[in-house]
Amino acid sequence: MTILNVTEAWQNATWFSQYVVNRPNYCKLDFGDIGRRTRTLFLSYRLYNEPKYASLLTTLSRGYKPLLHVNNTLVATLREELNYTIHNLTATLFPWISPPFPTIQQMHQTFLKSKDQTGIAISGGSKHYYMIRHLIITLRREFKIDLPIEVFYVGEDDMEPEMIHSLQKMPKVTTVNLLGFFPLETKFHYWWSLKPFVILASRFRTVLFIDADVTFFRNPLEALDTDIYKRTGSIFYRDRLIRDENRLIGAEWFHNVNPHIYGLKNVGLIRSVANLSAGTNEMDSGFMPFDKGNLGVLFSLLLTAKMNSHQERQTLYNYTHGDKESFWLSREMLRVPYAFSEAYGGSVGVSKKVKAKDKERYVQVCGQTLLHVNEEGDSFWANGGGVLKEQWITMDFHKSFATLTHAISDQDGMAAWKPGYCCMKPAKDSMGRVTARELNDKEKALLERYRQIYRSEIKEMGSFLHKIKKRVVKALLARRPEVDKNVADEDGSWILNVLGSIFLVVLYGFIFALICLALTAIAPKKIDFGRYLKDL
């Protein structure tokens, strides 16, 4: 691009910058406007703070019409106006960063100067406690990971004090109350919405975010050595390649929000409107490493958190399945490089022979665990509870282990998920390899050691877990559905509320019937129950 084109483009950008600064009020449900405002902030921040753009500022100042009328050189005036833009857009887009960070610059410097440059962040509450403990043990024991670990919870109602104390006793583990960070937003916490806030709140520059129900087959630190991570400051893993026609509305919505595609043209959600074979779910957010020292990554995380904020997520969750797509959508909207691991989500479970019509029998793999492979095609990590059949059990783990004998991967989108998305039909990949296989001896031995941890070490907490079981149920019943019915369905807590209400109605009816019978027994004469109720 020539200097003339750069200057012309900058003048157009400047016009929009002045426009948004003069109009601080915006619709928080208009993601197109939010994306443009955030990109304006991102570009202004980089021009103002990065020394490599000093000479560019001189070029851009030529023919520049100042917004602020100050007695200064054009370059100095331009810097003043950039600072003015940064201050105003930060205040309108991300007022919640303080506390603890007064400015985005101080947030960035905190990560760059962090004493612990690399660490692990896990989020969860009381019902995730046993999985969190199991995950920490496996990371330490199986993969010899000695990094500091932060476990985030959201207030005393989210995690019991006994659990917090128990986790704090584990070496190099810190428990963190997320309500101490970004309280203007985190006080409205809801289910998936917490992830980007946890990642931003973590003290580490390089943070490996891990869901409590994730299981690793290989050392998670290997993700930091991938070419994708080194190039982009993160690596994303694909979800199952499935097409849900009900989710096409999400693809259409994103096309309207972001009509000019910057990054991956082969992302399913982007192609699904025009390509009938493209998937509508793209990303699994169970395991995500980020370099927050990378400004593009940091601003993308800020926009991701914005998209998952109290008001904005009402739009996001209507068009996507929770938080997961927002991590790459923000990169796309800000024109920040990103990339996915090539393989799609596979499965770990049991094999099942199926005979298709007029065709040979084939083996499909059925299981609730979503499997991800590394760049070499080896099992890397799995999302969905690991060796447990049910994620939310709190006792008798030895009775609740899932049967895991086979694995299936989807290296290039050739395999097919059956209705219900629990069984996967294999196909030969582009290299001619059959993707369904029996777990190898190393994988079987690893999973057996994971089961043994539940039998011996987690089992010891059984009485403790039983003691807090009523508190966990109470916390679940206290939850309220938000956003829309689809989100409520995923949460499941609304079902408990309904069942609890039905139980109380039946109970009160039963008590009333007993009272009526008692009154009839002690008063043989005819009783006017209508009058009696009226008197009550």
Side-chain angles (χ1 to χ4, degrees), residues 35-152:
R36 289 187 292 271
R37 288 170 181 263
T38 307
R39 180 159 169 74
T40 299
L41 171 59
F42 176 47
L43 294 176
S44 300
Y45 185 94
R46 296 195 68 182
L47 283 171
Y48 185 81
N49 288 285
E50 296 189 29
K52 64 181 179 180
Y53 292 121
S55 60
L56 180 59
L57 283 177
T58 302
T59 301
L60 296 176
S61 65
R62 297 169 186 167
Y64 178 64
K65 296 179 180 179
L67 172 65
L68 300 176
H69 301 286
V70 294
N71 295 321
N72 223 330
T73 66
L74 284 176
V75 173
T77 301
L78 180 56
R79 285 186 57 82
E80 286 287 335
E81 295 190 3
L82 286 172
N83 188 39
Y84 180 73
T85 299
I86 293 167
H87 173 77
N88 280 274
L89 285 179
T90 301
T92 56
L93 291 169
F94 310 112
W96 42 262
I97 66 170
S98 177
F101 304 108
T103 65
I104 295 176
Q105 184 178 25
Q106 287 180 276
M107 174 189 283
H108 187 223
Q109 289 299 314
T110 298
F111 299 140
L112 290 177
K113 298 176 182 178
S114 174
K115 179 181 178 182
D116 297 310
Q117 283 287 289
T118 304
I120 294 169
I122 305 170
S123 65
S126 294
K127 64 179 181 179
H128 306 100
Y129 167 80
Y130 65 93
M131 288 190 293
I132 294 173
R133 191 175 184 86
H134 184 274
L135 175 59
I136 294 173
I137 292 172
T138 60
L139 293 174
R140 300 288 197 222
R141 187 172 302 167
E142 292 294 334
F143 306 111
K144 313 303 180 187
I145 295 176
D146 193 39
L147 292 174
I149 296 175
E150 294 176 318
V151 178
F152 285 85

Side-chain angles (χ1 to χ4, degrees), residues 130-382:
Y130 65 93
M131 288 190 293
I132 294 173
R133 191 175 184 86
H134 184 274
L135 175 59
I136 294 173
I137 292 172
T138 60
L139 293 174
R140 300 288 197 222
R141 187 172 302 167
E142 292 294 334
F143 306 111
K144 313 303 180 187
I145 295 176
D146 193 39
L147 292 174
I149 296 175
E150 294 176 318
V151 178
F152 285 85
Y153 62 97
V154 194
E156 295 180 357
D157 293 336
D158 190 34
M159 183 174 283
E160 295 296 322
E162 298 96 324
M163 295 179 172
I164 295 172
H165 179 68
S166 175
L167 291 171
Q168 286 176 338
K169 290 171 64 176
M170 302 181 78
K172 300 184 76 171
V173 174
T174 305
T175 56
V176 184
N177 185 350
L178 188 60
L179 294 181
F181 294 80
F182 323 124
L184 291 177
E185 273 300 331
T186 53
K187 66 181 179 181
F188 298 114
H189 64 91
Y190 178 75
W191 210 249
W192 307 294
S193 68
L194 295 176
K195 288 186 184 182
F197 292 100
V198 166
I199 295 165
L200 287 171
S202 176
R203 71 180 189 271
F204 314 120
R205 168 181 173 164
T206 300
V207 55
L208 293 90
F209 175 86
I210 307 175
D211 270 346
D213 60 343
V214 163
T215 301
F216 286 96
F217 288 90
R218 300 180 66 87
N219 191 325
L221 296 180
E222 291 181 10
L224 304 183
D225 295 325
T226 61
D227 177 65
I228 291 176
Y229 182 84
K230 292 177 181 178
R231 284 190 292 108
T232 68
S234 64
I235 181 171
F236 297 145
Y237 293 90
R238 298 182 188 273
D239 203 339
R240 300 170 176 87
L241 180 58
I242 56 177
R243 184 178 180 84
D244 184 350
E245 299 296 329
N246 294 325
R247 292 288 176 187
L248 286 178
I249 188 175
E252 295 168 349
W253 164 75
F254 187 61
H255 273 282
N256 293 328
V257 168
N258 191 70
H260 305 291
I261 303 304
Y262 162 76
L264 304 178
K265 304 298 189 295
N266 65 338
V267 170
L269 186 65
I270 292 174
R271 297 185 299 122
S272 58
V273 175
N275 188 335
L276 297 180
S277 64
T280 52
N281 294 291
E282 195 60 40
M283 181 174 167
D284 182 356
S285 60
F287 168 56
M288 301 176 291
F290 292 98
D291 175 12
K292 295 184 293 184
N294 182 316
L295 273 176
V297 172
L298 179 61
F299 271 85
S300 297
L301 285 170
L302 286 167
L303 180 54
T304 302
K306 176 75 171 175
M307 296 164 76
N308 285 272
S309 294
H310 179 52
Q311 290 182 293
E312 288 82 352
R313 64 176 176 252
Q314 297 181 50
T315 295
L316 179 68
Y317 295 0
N318 278 334
Y319 294 110
T320 68
H321 186 73
D323 67 288
K324 59 194 187 74
E325 311 296 359
S326 62
F327 289 93
W328 69 267
L329 290 179
S330 63
R331 302 284 274 267
E332 185 68 45
M333 294 164 71
L334 291 184
R335 307 298 190 256
V336 172
Y338 67 100
F340 284 87
S341 177
E342 287 298 321
Y344 292 87
S347 182
V348 179
V350 297
S351 64
K352 181 180 178 182
K353 290 185 177 180
V354 178
K355 184 176 181 180
K357 294 181 180 179
D358 302 324
K359 294 183 180 180
E360 297 180 359
R361 295 169 67 90
Y362 64 87
V363 175
Q364 65 181 13
V365 177
C366 301
Q368 67 178 11
T369 304
L370 183 61
L371 175 67
H372 298 278
V373 298
N374 62 11
E375 294 174 320
E376 288 73 40
D378 299 321
S379 299
F380 187 19
W381 64 281

